[in-house]
Amino acid sequence: MLSFPIMETVPARQIARWLALGALFLIPFTPLVVSSSFFFPFITGKAFFFRIMVEAAVAGWAVLALLDKRYRPHFSVIGAAVLLFVLWMAVADGAALNASKAFWSNFERMEGWVLLVHLLGFFLAAGAVLRVEQKWRAWFLTSLAVSLFVSAYSLLQLGGAFTIHQGSTRIDATFGNSAYLAIYFLFNVFLALWLGLTEKQVWLRRSLFVLAGLEGVLIFFTETRGTALALVFALAVAALLSAITTSARLRRLSIAALIIIVAVAGAFYMARNSAFIQGNHVLQRVASISAADGSTRFTIWGMALQGAKEHPILGWGQEGFNYVFNRYYTPTLHGQEPWFDRAHNAFIDWLSAGGFPALLLYLSLFVSALYLLWRHSDLPRSERIALTAALAGYAVHNMFVFDNLYSYVYFFAILAFIDAQVARPIARFERMPEMQAVSAGTLAIPIATVVLIGVMWFVNVPGMTVASRLITALSSQPHDALAVFSDLAAHPAFAAQEVREQLVSFAGGLGNSANQQDRQAAVTLAITEMQKQVARYPQDAREHLELAYAYRFAGDSADSMKEIQAAIALSPKNEKFWIEAGITAWDAGDVEAARKAFTTAYELAPQFSDMAVYAAAGDFAVGDTAAADKVLMTSYGTTTIDSDVLAVVYYRTKNWSRLIDLWKLRVSAPTADARTWFGLASAYYTAGQKGDALATIRELVKRFPDAAASGAAAIQEIQSGAK
């Protein structure tokens, strides 16, 4: 029978124990994983690392459970809620319009049901192994030690030593996203307070309190307003619980702390318009919290609720919010990101993904944890208060932001920790005989090893390969990149949608950087692959638009228009789709159709000035100057607008006076440079006004001496009559 030589010296139980504990204690290092060789380096590397660690931990735990009944699953309401939640989402994801994406997600999110089942595995393995080994405290201390490195990285970003990846001011450390960093710090603030309150070593207790204070401050430098609110709320909850449950002396201190928290928050709100707060971009952003400021989120929530009414039981599946977004799109979202794949509210996201059953089950995770924490656990009061505050803060944070990998990890870790305090053995598992050590060495360990390798390979390797190959394609020369894309297309695996969309972007961006043969091959491949995507998911408006772009790159206006019309049929109020229809019709020479599409877009969102520009462009294109001027006057109060769209229509319609006025407006701006002045000269020359063109170039040479050589060459070309 198959056996491993190491079994002769090391018991199978020890191997399984090392594997489970080693993997579990590596999970807190997940936030430090950043893989620049993978697509979405701040997300994919962490996700694959977490999955592999969980798979290893579950394999080790499974062997331990066979050998020792103490490691076997126990029952609690929390565990039942977690299991039912994951099972229900398997049903909901299986019924989704894009079940594959619902199960596997994509590179940008790395969630889907595959993450949920790994979180379930983490919950079970951590709950059993850390309970039996009495390592929960060590696990959370390890996590706090890692957070110290993350805090140091954040401080170096604030100091300018390290680059901030998201924007220029909002720290994001190794997460690449300030909101993800904020919730990471929020959990660690209360974990540090919890462990600090129960720590006997003075130096460590003080260090934990300092760490909690530091990371509480750093939350504000992420400028994530929802998490800042969550921190204040959680601290208030902690103070209130302390006031209710502690002794008289501590009660007075807790009430004083609660009053201070409320007073400081109130004073900050009252002074939100002061010069001091408005002069500090961190405080100013936090102070900008308001109902008006949250209008975009309220709109998205409303759309999600409409989608829930349509699919109240099974929802739309994970990663299915894009269908809701397109179907119930409202033009008031113009100017926001073009594709929302989340409702930016974790509770509503689960309602959208799995219907009302998923929302209720998700809420039951919080309710059962808090109920058991206070009614049936033997934890000291300080621990209960800290964990309650952490869950309360997390819930408030989730009202404004969607979840991410490591906020899930902390949530499920706390659930597993509470479960470990209250769960009771399951009689059926207890009655099962324990496997003998010899059988474990010859049977359990080999089988677990084979299964572990198989799961790791099936679940992770295809995605890791595509993530790496996609980066190779995006960083290679055109011919080599085309070869990589061709290979990825020939062997579709994980995240086919993202690969195909990147292929469309690649084909459209080649320009003169590639030869004609490669450009043609890239466009043809993009069309072929997007046709497959649309055929498989015909109700996804985004994919129709991507195929329309591919057709446009090929010069096929007719087919491009068909796909845009298909997208409009799925999302009729999306003004951006109508703009694309107008551009495509204009390029095809059908100015009447272009005008109609631009006007429709404007009528959908007349409050946005750039829509007025397109409407005016359509009017100019058909020669209706009066209608165009009326639209511009309504939106701008003038007919002379600095707009590339209008510059193009003036050129195409030979409206030279308007084109010249536009360029005069541009050169009058304080930021006008030599190129801008050359633009005005070109407009004069195109209009046949050579004298004005020459005078403009001479003026620009005076203003920009460095452009003297270019100016002299332009003057020579004008004088010689060159185009």
Side-chain angles (χ1 to χ4, degrees):
M1 185 171 291
L2 178 64
S3 63
F4 295 141
I6 195 172
M7 294 292 101
E8 299 175 2
T9 57
V10 182
R13 186 182 186 284
Q14 282 297 93
I15 294 176
R17 180 175 177 271
W18 292 342
L19 178 63
L21 281 175
L24 288 172
F25 272 85
L26 282 173
I27 286 174
F29 291 88
T30 302
L32 303 182
V33 178
V34 179
S35 179
S36 58
S37 61
F38 285 167
F39 194 54
F40 283 103
F42 291 100
I43 297 172
T44 50
K46 290 179 177 63
F48 287 127
F49 179 81
F50 172 72
R51 291 179 187 179
I52 291 169
M53 291 303 103
V54 169
E55 289 154 11
V58 169
W61 164 64
V63 175
L64 287 172
L66 292 173
L67 289 166
D68 188 339
K69 64 178 62 178
R70 294 180 303 160
Y71 291 92
R72 292 172 185 173
H74 287 191
F75 175 81
S76 79
V77 176
I78 299 175
V82 170
L83 180 61
L84 288 173
F85 177 60
V86 175
L87 290 177
W88 178 257
M89 286 312 305
V91 175
D93 289 341
L97 290 173
N98 190 337
S100 176
K101 190 176 180 182
F103 273 93
W104 292 102
S105 188
N106 57 14
F107 288 127
E108 183 177 6
R109 300 302 180 196
M110 292 297 290
E111 293 187 17
W113 193 79
V114 70
L115 173 60
L116 285 185
V117 78
H118 279 79
L119 289 169
L120 174 62
F122 170 67
F123 174 87
L124 294 171
V129 175
L130 298 182
R131 167 177 52 81
V132 175
E133 300 291 339
Q134 298 183 1
K135 298 291 186 183
W136 268 115
R137 188 177 185 86
W139 191 88
F140 282 118
L141 283 171
T142 301
S143 183
L144 287 170
V146 174
S147 79
L148 180 61
F149 283 95
V150 176
S151 297
Y153 193 108
S154 301
L155 290 172
L156 289 170
Q157 284 186 320
L158 285 175
F162 287 167
T163 301
I164 295 175
H165 310 99
Q166 184 184 45
S168 59
T169 60
R170 300 177 63 187
I171 58 172
D172 52 16
T174 56
F175 286 83
N177 184 303
S178 55
Y180 294 176
L181 177 63
I183 187 59
Y184 176 76
F185 281 148
L186 181 67
F187 271 116
N188 278 288
V189 165
F190 291 98
L191 292 176
L193 289 175
W194 159 37
L195 297 178
L197 289 169
T198 55
E199 179 57 49
K200 296 180 180 179
Q201 298 186 60
V202 176
W203 71 270
L204 182 54
R205 180 169 65 251
R206 292 176 178 174
S207 298
L208 289 169
F209 289 151
V210 170
L211 181 62
L214 170 63
E215 296 186 347
V217 171
L218 288 174
I219 286 175
F220 288 89
F221 284 96
T222 68
E223 300 181 33
T224 306
R225 293 165 292 186
T227 316
L229 272 179
L231 175 63
V232 174
F233 178 78
L235 289 172
V237 167
L240 179 61
L241 288 174
S242 297
I244 294 172
T245 62
T246 55
S247 62
R249 185 179 66 86
L250 291 177
R251 185 177 298 118
R252 288 192 294 271
L253 292 174
S254 300
I255 292 174
L258 180 59
I259 292 173
I260 291 172
I261 292 170
V262 173
V264 170
F268 181 83
Y269 179 78
M270 295 297 294
R272 65 189 183 279
N273 295 320
S274 67
F276 174 74
I277 290 178
Q278 292 299 315
N280 182 294
H281 67 84
V282 175
L283 297 178
Q284 187 277 330
R285 179 171 169 82
V286 175
S288 67
I289 299 172
S290 66
D293 192 60
S295 60
T296 297
R297 275 179 168 75
F298 298 150
T299 300
I300 295 294
W301 297 353
M303 292 162 57
L305 293 176
Q306 286 182 283
K309 290 178 182 178
E310 185 175 349
H311 289 179
I313 305 302
L314 291 174
W316 298 80
Q318 290 175 265
E319 307 299 344
F321 185 73
N322 60 306
Y323 293 103
V324 177
F325 177 78
N326 286 322
R327 186 167 302 199
Y328 298 103
Y329 179 87
T330 172
T332 58
L333 292 173
H334 180 72
Q336 303 297 322
E337 58 182 280
W339 309 107
F340 276 84
D341 65 347
R342 295 290 189 278
H344 288 261
N345 179 310
F347 300 98
I348 295 178
D349 275 325
W350 285 116
L351 172 64
S352 176
F356 284 95
L359 174 61
L360 293 175
L361 286 168
Y362 182 64
L363 289 172
S364 75
L365 300 180
F366 289 88
V367 174
S368 61
L370 293 173
Y371 175 77
L372 294 174
L373 180 63
W374 285 93
R375 291 298 300 271
H376 295 284
S377 76
D378 297 324
L379 293 174
R381 184 183 295 108
S382 59
E383 295 192 37
R384 299 183 192 189
I385 291 173
L387 291 174
T388 300
L391 291 174
Y394 176 58
V396 171
H397 164 89
N398 279 1
M399 289 292 294
F400 304 98
V401 185
F402 51 83
D403 254 317
N404 73 90
L405 170 62
Y406 216 76
S407 60
Y408 281 125
V409 172
Y410 271 141
F411 183 41
F412 276 76
I414 290 176
L415 294 179
F417 174 75
I418 297 173
D419 176 80
Q421 313 306 312
V422 301
R424 297 294 178 262
I426 300 173
R428 179 173 296 180
F429 290 149
E430 290 293 300
R431 289 194 297 267
M432 294 173 61
E434 296 177 337
M435 180 177 284
Q436 297 298 313
V438 174
S439 298
T442 58
L443 186 64
I445 290 291
I447 291 177
T449 301
V450 171
V451 172
L452 175 60
I453 293 173
V455 170
M456 285 182 176
W457 185 273
F458 174 75
V459 173
N460 303 296
V461 171
M464 295 170 71
T465 301
V466 175
S468 177
R469 295 281 286 161
L470 194 52
I471 283 292
T472 299
L474 297 176
S475 59
S476 299
Q477 294 298 315
H479 184 76
D480 296 331
L482 178 59
V484 176
F485 273 118
S486 298
D487 182 64
L488 288 172
H491 304 91
F494 178 74
Q497 176 181 336
E498 282 174 301
V499 172
R500 286 165 174 161
E501 290 180 359
Q502 289 298 320
L503 172 58
V504 172
S505 179
F506 164 75
L510 283 178
N512 295 323
S513 61
N515 59 51
Q516 181 61 34
Q517 183 178 358
D518 284 343
R519 284 199 298 273
Q520 183 61 46
V523 171
T524 300
L525 181 62
I527 291 173
T528 300
E529 290 303 306
M530 286 311 306
Q531 285 174 336
K532 295 177 184 177
Q533 188 71 20
V534 167
R536 187 165 183 180
Y537 306 109
Q539 296 186 58
D540 193 335
R542 174 171 178 163
E543 303 314 292
H544 284 285
L545 194 63
E546 289 288 337
L547 179 54
Y549 292 149
Y551 279 131
R552 184 184 295 173
F553 300 150
D556 187 348
S557 298
D559 282 325
S560 180
M561 181 62 79
K562 288 180 182 178
E563 295 304 322
I564 293 173
Q565 292 296 342
I568 290 174
L570 293 168
S571 187
K573 293 184 179 180
N574 194 319
E575 76 288 344
K576 292 182 287 293
F577 292 176
W578 287 101
I579 293 298
E580 292 294 339
I583 292 172
T584 302
W586 193 351
D587 289 342
D590 190 346
V591 292
E592 286 291 348
R595 182 194 196 188
K596 182 179 179 180
F598 288 152
T599 299
T600 301
Y602 173 61
E603 290 172 347
L604 285 170
Q607 67 271 39
F608 298 104
S609 57
D610 55 337
M611 292 296 98
V613 165
Y614 278 105
D619 292 332
F620 279 125
V622 299
D624 193 346
T625 301
D629 285 347
K630 182 179 179 180
V631 170
L632 292 176
M633 287 297 296
T634 300
S635 292
Y636 291 94
T638 179
T639 58
T640 305
I641 309 300
D642 182 0
S643 164
D644 289 336
V645 173
L646 293 178
V648 171
V649 74
Y650 293 154
Y651 180 83
R652 290 188 177 184
T653 58
K654 295 181 171 54
N655 193 337
W656 307 126
S657 62
R658 290 294 183 98
L659 182 63
I660 290 169
D661 287 343
L662 184 151
W663 280 102
K664 283 182 177 180
L665 179 64
R666 288 180 171 178
V667 299
S668 67
T671 56
D673 57 13
R675 177 177 293 185
T676 309
W677 282 83
F678 274 121
L680 175 59
S682 178
Y684 276 129
Y685 183 68
T686 305
Q689 301 177 31
K690 293 185 178 181
D692 290 324
L694 292 171
T696 300
I697 293 175
R698 293 188 181 102
E699 179 62 25
L700 87 84
V701 170
K702 291 180 182 178
R703 293 172 178 265
F704 306 98
D706 292 343
S710 299
I715 289 173
Q716 184 176 356
E717 290 179 1
I718 291 173
Q719 291 175 337
S720 65
K723 293 185 180 180

